[in-house]
Amino acid sequence: METQVLIIGGGAAGCMMARELSRYKVDVTLVEKRPDVGFGVSKASNGYLYWGMSWNVSIVLKSIVEQIGGATKEAEHKKEEMNRRGYELWKPLLTELDIPHLWTPVMQLATNPAELRLLDMLEKETVARNMPYRRLNKEEILELEPNVTDKVIAGLYDDSHGWYNVYPWEQVIAVAENARQNGIKFMLDTEVIGFSKNGGFQIVETTRGPIKTEFVINATGADAVHVARLADACDFSLQHFKAHTIITDKKTRNLVNGSVAILAGPGRLKSVNPVQSGNLLISSIYTPTDSPHDLGTDKALMEELFGMAQDVLPPLSKKDVIAYFAVSRVYSARNPDEYIIEFAPKNPRFINMVLRMPGFIPMPVIARNVVGMLSDHGLQMTKKDDFNPYRKRIPRFADLSSEERSKLIKQDPRYGHVVCRCETVTEGEIVEAIRRGANTVDGVKFRTRAGMGRCQAGFCGPRVVEIIARELNIKPTEVTKNGGNSWELLCESKELLTTRKAVLA
Amino acid sequence: MKGKSIDVAVIGAGPAGLAAAIKAREAGAGNVTIIERAEAPGGLLFQCIHNGFGLQRFNEDLTGPEYAHRFIEKARDLGVNLLLSSMVLDIEADREMVVANSRDGLMSFQPKAIVLAMGCRERSRQSLFIPGTRPAGIFTAGTAQRYVNVEGYMPGKKFVILGSGDVGMIMARRLTLEGAEVKAVVEVLPYVGGLIRNEVQCIYDFDIPLMCSHTVISVHGQERVESVTVAKVDKNWQPIPGTEWDIGCDTLLLSVGIVPENELSLKAGVALDPFIGGPVVNENMETSVPGIFAGGNVVHVHDLVDNVSEEAEGAGLHAAEYATGKMRASESKITLRAGPNIRYIIPHSISGESDVTLFMRVKEPADKVRLSVGNIYSKALRAVRPSEMLKVKLTGDELARLDRSANELTVSCEQKR
Ligand SMILES: Cc1cc2nc3c(=O)[nH]c(=O)nc-3n(C[C@H](O)[C@H](O)[C@H](O)COP(=O)(O)OP(=O)(O)OC[C@H]3O[C@@H](n4cnc5c(N)ncnc54)[C@H](O)[C@@H]3O)c2cc1C
Ligand SMILES: Cc1cc2nc3c(=O)[nH]c(=O)nc-3n(C[C@H](O)[C@H](O)[C@H](O)COP(=O)(O)OP(=O)(O)OC[C@H]3O[C@@H](n4cnc5c(N)ncnc54)[C@H](O)[C@@H]3O)c2cc1C
């Protein structure tokens, strides 16, 4: 196989890069080791597109991340600029790519003198960055958010800039679908395992055979060091921080009108955020880790995190928790503020692209910059005349009006068959998700929300497996949760009895 | 599309819905229609292929499908309409229902009365805060039951079952019979959560290791479950450090509780009991919204289907009376209070004027107790357990003793001195 640009990694970085390159007459291939795009870190991120008053995490994170050392004003300035422009570029993108999103105001609170000091720091920073905000007293806070703790003493509020919440994976999938529409080749279930050189070309060894390419973009996130080393193209190292997240039932949605948070101290942000789906998302505790692929959750941290959310919003009850998970963020060990976007020192045709937090927001800017870098290094960049920036989402039955629902069922009766009762997801949506590339239970779940509700697939699980098997013409025992050996079912009923009989006989 | 006129609409064709519909027809309602999401009637019973159903009602030992079949036949004979593969999406003001299916698209009905019989759902891992990885191979016991009994697939080969609810114990036996290995049934309480009958017939008879006062504290495995860590717990259900060990398995089944399924009830504006999760009902099984009745697991979780049928018949009867304008204006003004060792009582209130059956559960197991309802009813019981529902019939004699001016009655279950 041959291509001009090979992107390794189908996360937020790789997919946005692919879409940007799909504007040009260049042959581009993206390889992803998992069975679907966005299943790395991107899937488990919070999904905020915001660059206003409080890119609040930076303050509490700084306290721990800066222990890494090496922060410079220059990197910070660059980060600020990329995110500021990225935020603006995302607004039209949300429309072009038909990505569902929720806009909410943002509120930062303090309940004691220590938190007040952090709040004052944030205010100073906000003024320096020239971002819109208002300072609120207790009464004003409780008027806007009547359910927050009555221990509040002061707050900052931004309802002019505000933040967009998207499902992080939906964002990645939308970008990837549009890139594919515009001619980018996606090879899923394809892992890069080695490199060699052949004249002016690089040969990238994958689990599906070698790929000959002019340029390589290493967008493998937490695996970036490993992959860069395979190509002898690594002069950086990464630090990993684990973050726990909790999701609560939709019935908690009305407890807040916008995002509400308390800056609590090093590595601790007490933050409760309405998300696009109508649930609340609770974050964040950051703890350093050496094993970024260990996604295990920790009971004590989860309990602490939930307690933190209750400090902000006392009416929250543990009974409302419907999901929780943990995932790692990466930071450059050279300089915690930097995004690593550069050619490898010994290989002028190999770009390392490692995103720190936030990663989604600046990506439209980074992708443009990388097009410039490729062109500077001799790749001919001619714009296509027929680039189509638009992509349409899968219709979401639950969100439609009665007339729209009736129309949809008339067009395709499968939209009249509700499969997931908690989220009201129909067979029509599931079949469409599979048509667009979902081939696992998680692939369907993340495209349609089937199984994401309060019963967590207890009811629709077997039905989704059945539909995937039917549509892909495979056996139910061949269906996985998310690739590899994550089988949903291990064998047919009675099979164990026949094998046991055979052993006995 | 506007649907035809319905007297009593029943949501759900499980045992509750079927019994309610039958009773509603028998009580004179003209058009009685059951709306059921699945492609066949029977509800949960469809996947309960074990026996033990109908002992009280029919004095026979039936399987779930056999028990359901008797009701399905009767409903057909009585001309109950069954709208299958159809989901009720919404109930609006004035009982206007929105229903979707593939054949007719979106429909709206405005029945004269509604019976809620949507059943229940199982609690998932999430509601338990079990830390660790999130691999494939974690199922609720009911989901596994559906896979094995209805779909014909084994979700695993080596199981650990967390929780000793009835479904969990029944699955421990089923899986053993299917040739799988059940490594342990782990229960956080010092006693099993389900019926004694199931403890004996499903656990002891099959030599399945049962570990009470233990819990699963972590799950391991990246792609598929590889093992779980189990630990002993103290009186407050907290794991005792130093007692942990790992059990290798490919599947973790959860049987950790069942909750009434009431999202639709909430949309209809029906008040729920925050403790039980089901609608607040009076002795007519009428909810806080006039004309909307409820019965079966949607109200509270039953252990015997026979009781489901009995309770739902009450809902069906009164829904029919409401629809045909025959309902006696009886006010349920006496609230039932849960006294010592009583977890809850259904219904929430009674009128004191007609015979009524109370369903209740205790909080903790106890021996040699006296169950009493105010000063009108009292009975000595040898042993009570939370898993076994208690039933009290209040008829003429007891009601005659009732103080008419009282607006409260306390139910208690105290140790005899
Ligand atoms: C908890 C959390 C919350 C966050 N919240 C936000 C937020 O609100 N807003 C925001 O903008 N950012 C946020 N971020 C940051 C953002 O999510 C990340 O910066 C971004 O998702 C990183 O994308 P990526 O493509 O670099 O990495 P990934 O998504 O991890 O993609 C890398 C991909 O490479 C693949 N890969 C690895 N090795 C190989 C190989 N050898 N061969 C082939 N493929 C390979 C992986 O399977 C993976 O799919 C958050 C991050 C976290 C952890
Ligand atoms: C595993 C298991 C084992 C059991 N074993 C025994 C036993 O041995 N002996 C015994 O006596 N009892 C047993 N029981 C108890 C008994 O079977 C249940 O209590 C009984 O099935 C509950 O009846 P139901 O009608 O309330 O609910 P369900 O049977 O759950 O029926 C509810 C119906 O409503 C439908 N529905 C829900 N929402 C909608 C909607 N929006 N639109 C349309 N339709 C909807 C559902 O599809 C379902 O068919 C067992 C229960 C379980 C779970």
Side-chain angles (χ1 to χ4, degrees):
Chain A
M1 228 205 98
E2 222 177 297
T3 190
Q4 283 180 285
V5 181
L6 182 72
I7 302 172
I8 311 173
C15 292
M16 186 63 88
M17 196 60 237
R19 180 186 188 256
E20 193 57 34
L21 284 169
S22 74
R23 296 173 188 273
Y24 301 90
K25 293 179 182 157
V26 195
D27 188 275
V28 181
T29 304
L30 183 150
V31 290
E32 165 58 53
K33 70 174 175 187
R34 297 175 212 255
D36 212 337
V37 295
F39 272 23
V41 167
S42 299
K43 171 178 89 170
S45 114
N46 294 359
Y48 302 120
L49 302 173
Y50 176 64
W51 196 251
M53 161 185 83
S54 54
W55 182 254
N56 45 27
V57 235
S58 63
I59 272 196
V60 287
L61 252 189
K62 249 183 189 161
S63 44
I64 55 165
V65 169
E66 276 186 359
Q67 292 165 7
I68 302 172
T72 56
K73 276 271 167 271
E74 193 200 337
E76 193 176 334
H77 180 72
K78 238 170 126 179
K79 178 182 81 183
E80 172 77 24
E81 272 319 295
M82 278 199 300
N83 282 293
R84 204 186 271 261
R85 279 178 53 216
Y87 177 71
E88 293 306 322
L89 288 180
W90 264 108
K91 291 185 194 169
L93 262 181
L94 291 174
T95 317
E96 283 176 7
L97 298 176
D98 196 19
I99 300 173
H101 51 274
L102 172 80
W103 182 94
T104 65
V106 189
M107 196 186 273
Q108 295 289 329
L109 303 175
T111 63
N112 60 41
E115 290 167 6
L116 191 60
R117 274 195 298 280
L118 285 169
L119 194 77
D120 290 339
M121 245 170 80
L122 178 64
E123 184 171 16
K124 258 202 214 128
E125 208 172 274
T126 307
V127 172
R129 290 171 55 214
N130 204 9
M131 291 293 178
Y133 82 99
R134 265 194 295 149
R135 184 141 183 146
L136 305 179
N137 63 27
K138 177 171 183 166
E139 256 172 33
E140 293 164 324
I141 294 167
L142 291 175
E143 180 141 327
L144 287 163
E145 295 288 1
N147 293 316
V148 301
T149 169
D150 60 5
K151 297 198 186 101
V152 284
I153 50 178
L156 304 180
Y157 189 55
D158 169 13
D159 63 351
S160 59
H161 209 63
W163 78 11
Y164 294 95
N165 175 265
V166 299
Y167 298 131
W169 57 87
E170 192 156 71
Q171 180 261 111
V172 178
I173 288 168
V175 171
E177 280 182 2
N178 189 233
R180 189 182 277 145
Q181 268 169 271
N182 285 297
I184 306 293
K185 282 173 285 198
F186 281 76
M187 293 175 63
L188 302 174
D189 257 325
T190 309
E191 181 172 358
V192 168
I193 47 178
F195 282 86
S196 57
K197 281 215 180 117
N198 184 350
F201 291 99
Q202 316 188 52
I203 310 292
V204 179
E205 299 293 340
T206 78
T207 44
R208 290 183 194 260
I211 301 173
K212 185 173 163 189
T213 181
E214 289 175 43
F215 287 90
V216 171
I217 299 176
N218 172 17
T220 52
D223 291 317
V225 168
H226 169 71
V227 172
R229 283 204 182 127
L230 289 176
D232 193 19
C234 189
D235 68 336
F236 56 90
S237 57
L238 299 174
Q239 291 265 345
H240 306 274
F241 290 85
K242 200 172 200 175
H244 282 67
T245 303
I246 296 176
I247 310 282
T248 58
D249 193 282
K250 284 184 177 169
K251 66 174 190 257
T252 58
R253 168 62 185 93
N254 291 333
L255 291 176
V256 284
N257 294 311
S259 167
V260 185
I262 298 178
L263 299 172
R268 301 284 190 279
L269 171 75
K270 304 178 174 183
S271 151
V272 178
N273 310 289
V275 294
Q276 200 269 119
S277 47
N279 306 75
L280 293 182
L281 182 150
I282 296 169
S283 61
S284 309
I285 298 181
Y286 305 93
T287 45
T289 171
D290 291 331
S291 37
H293 290 301
D294 171 13
L295 305 180
T297 49
D298 180 275
K299 179 142 182 155
L301 287 179
M302 245 153 38
E303 303 262 357
E304 184 185 346
L305 180 58
F306 194 79
M308 281 165 42
Q310 281 177 318
D311 290 345
V312 180
L313 205 57
L316 278 181
S317 143
K318 256 199 192 162
K319 275 195 192 160
D320 299 326
V321 172
I322 61 164
Y324 49 80
F325 48 87
V327 69
S328 289
R329 292 177 172 164
V330 299
Y331 290 90
S332 160
R334 281 191 310 226
N335 182 336
D337 273 330
E338 81 173 339
Y339 292 85
I340 301 172
I341 313 287
E342 60 198 19
F343 281 102
K346 288 187 250 168
N347 185 344
R349 297 191 155 215
F350 189 107
I351 297 179
N352 285 309
M353 175 185 279
V354 192
L355 306 184
R356 76 184 292 286
M357 164 92 181
F360 295 163
I361 308 168
M363 204 44 223
V365 179
I366 292 173
R368 288 183 183 195
N369 293 349
V370 170
V371 167
M373 288 163 68
L374 290 169
S375 147
D376 288 349
H377 278 70
L379 187 66
Q380 178 85 33
M381 291 295 206
T382 323
K383 284 215 166 179
K384 288 178 188 161
D385 316 321
D386 58 350
F387 172 74
N388 173 11
Y390 298 103
R391 165 266 183 193
K392 285 233 76 68
R393 72 174 90 150
I394 300 174
R396 185 157 284 149
F397 187 80
D399 297 343
L400 300 179
S401 68
S402 295
E403 293 75 42
E404 291 168 316
R405 286 177 172 182
S406 289
K407 214 175 113 198
L408 202 56
I409 302 173
K410 276 209 192 83
Q411 281 166 9
D412 183 345
R414 289 174 296 192
Y415 282 95
H417 175 208
V418 176
V419 174
C420 165
R421 58 174 160 178
C422 303
E423 297 286 326
T424 321
V425 181
T426 63
E427 185 179 349
E429 289 157 87
I430 294 171
V431 169
E432 175 61 14
I434 297 169
R435 196 189 64 75
R436 293 186 186 207
N439 52 18
T440 62
V441 172
D442 278 0
V444 166
K445 165 169 149 183
F446 285 106
R447 281 178 181 78
T448 64
R449 294 191 62 77
M452 274 196 187
R454 53 188 74 82
C455 91
Q456 294 282 304
F459 174 75
C460 68
R463 287 152 181 93
V464 169
V465 169
E466 189 186 320
I467 297 172
I468 294 175
R470 184 190 73 203
E471 294 297 311
L472 297 178
N473 203 10
I474 56 178
K475 289 194 209 130
T477 43
E478 292 172 321
V479 176
T480 65
K481 180 172 187 284
N482 48 26
N485 291 317
S486 65
W487 313 109
E488 281 287 312
L489 302 168
L490 295 189
C491 62
E492 289 183 15
S493 294
K494 313 296 175 220
E495 214 175 299
L496 293 176
L497 294 174
T498 40
T499 45
R500 203 165 63 175
K501 257 194 217 132
V503 171
L504 290 178
Chain B
M1 148 177 176
K2 271 266 176 235
K4 47 186 179 284
S5 95
I6 295 176
D7 293 308
V8 176
V10 178
I11 309 176
L18 289 165
I22 290 168
K23 200 70 190 180
R25 276 292 290 156
E26 286 174 347
N31 180 322
V32 176
T33 300
I34 307 183
I35 303 154
E36 166 60 52
R37 199 179 40 206
E39 48 287 353
L44 265 178
L45 293 182
F46 200 62
Q47 65 187 59
C48 297
I49 61 172
H50 54 279
N51 61 339
F53 296 84
L55 289 168
Q56 288 183 12
R57 191 178 181 101
F58 298 115
N59 222 345
E60 279 183 68
D61 193 357
L62 304 173
T63 64
E66 282 170 336
Y67 184 92
H69 191 69
R70 300 205 171 180
F71 288 82
I72 296 168
E73 291 278 276
K74 189 152 184 203
R76 291 235 161 95
D77 290 348
L78 286 171
V80 169
N81 301 315
L82 257 177
L83 193 55
L84 296 173
S85 302
S86 304
M87 169 111 172
V88 180
L89 294 176
D90 207 354
I91 304 176
E92 287 154 16
D94 296 328
R95 294 187 296 279
E96 183 160 339
M97 298 165 67
V98 183
V99 180
N101 71 25
S102 293
R103 195 180 50 242
D104 312 296
L106 217 57
M107 294 171 278
S108 103
F109 301 118
Q110 196 164 14
K112 299 203 180 93
I114 294 178
V115 178
L116 306 172
M118 288 93 71
C120 54
R121 79 181 127 85
E122 295 173 279
R123 287 176 67 199
S124 67
R125 166 188 186 180
Q126 269 64 23
S127 43
L128 287 182
F129 263 127
I130 307 172
T133 54
R134 297 173 299 284
I138 305 176
F139 302 90
T140 59
T143 306
Q145 187 178 48
R146 183 174 169 98
Y147 270 130
V148 178
N149 294 351
V150 181
E151 315 280 339
Y153 291 97
M154 292 293 284
K157 297 179 180 176
K158 288 184 214 144
F159 291 81
V160 167
I161 301 179
L162 175 60
S164 56
D166 287 314
V167 201
M169 293 196 287
I170 285 165
M171 280 314 287
R173 175 177 65 185
R174 172 95 254 131
L175 292 165
T176 307
L177 289 170
E178 291 288 340
E181 200 181 337
V182 178
K183 297 255 184 142
V185 173
V186 180
E187 169 60 59
V188 74
L189 293 173
Y191 49 88
V192 307
L195 300 174
I196 292 185
R197 170 178 113 188
N198 287 331
E199 182 176 350
V200 174
Q201 296 175 2
C202 301
I203 304 291
Y204 299 146
D205 287 359
F206 287 82
D207 276 339
I208 294 168
L210 170 69
M211 293 171 204
C212 288
S213 297
H214 280 76
T215 192
V216 168
I217 58 167
S218 192
V219 178
H220 312 284
Q222 292 298 336
E223 297 183 334
R224 177 84 198 191
V225 173
E226 284 163 17
S227 64
V228 299
T229 306
V230 171
K232 205 171 158 59
V233 298
D234 62 21
K235 283 199 298 287
N236 306 316
W237 301 6
Q238 291 308 308
I240 303 170
T243 63
E244 313 79 3
W245 82 101
D246 286 359
I247 304 182
C249 58
D250 52 39
T251 311
L252 174 65
L253 285 198
L254 304 174
S255 178
V256 290
I258 299 182
V259 252
E261 176 75 54
N262 276 287
E263 276 56 49
L264 208 49
S265 319
L266 280 175
K267 287 187 186 169
V270 165
L272 301 186
D273 179 322
F275 185 63
I276 316 174
V280 174
V281 287
N282 64 21
E283 69 181 11
N284 294 338
M285 297 309 285
E286 189 173 21
T287 68
S288 63
V289 177
I292 301 188
F293 299 77
N297 279 354
V298 79
V299 179
H300 61 133
V301 177
H302 297 67
D303 31 78
L304 289 183
V305 73
D306 312 59
N307 292 333
V308 169
S309 305
E310 179 179 341
E311 181 184 280
E313 280 169 346
L317 169 69
H318 296 292
E321 288 176 355
Y322 188 95
T324 53
K326 280 189 263 176
M327 183 126 118
R328 268 183 302 148
S330 87
E331 240 184 297
S332 292
K333 55 182 187 346
I334 305 167
T335 307
L336 295 172
R337 291 255 172 259
N341 202 20
I342 295 291
R343 185 175 286 276
Y344 70 79
I345 310 133
I346 295 290
H348 293 74
S349 58
I350 59 172
S351 67
E353 264 131 51
S354 17
D355 295 1
V356 59
T357 303
L358 311 183
F359 294 99
M360 60 196 78
R361 284 188 195 276
V362 294
K363 286 184 182 154
E364 279 161 15
D367 292 336
K368 300 205 184 70
V369 293
R370 180 161 293 285
L371 178 66
S372 52
V373 181
N375 54 8
I376 65 171
Y377 173 97
S378 166
K379 188 178 181 192
L381 297 172
R382 221 180 55 208
V384 290
R385 290 163 55 115
S387 58
E388 327 232 322
M389 194 149 72
L390 301 173
K391 210 157 103 177
V392 170
K393 271 205 164 69
L394 298 181
T395 54
D397 286 352
E398 288 94 15
L399 295 173
R401 285 196 282 274
L402 193 66
D403 170 6
R404 296 287 140 188
S405 62
N407 49 18
E408 215 177 275
L409 259 184
T410 300
V411 182
S412 56
C413 184
E414 283 178 289
Q415 212 104 30
K416 282 190 293 190
R417 260 150 294 182

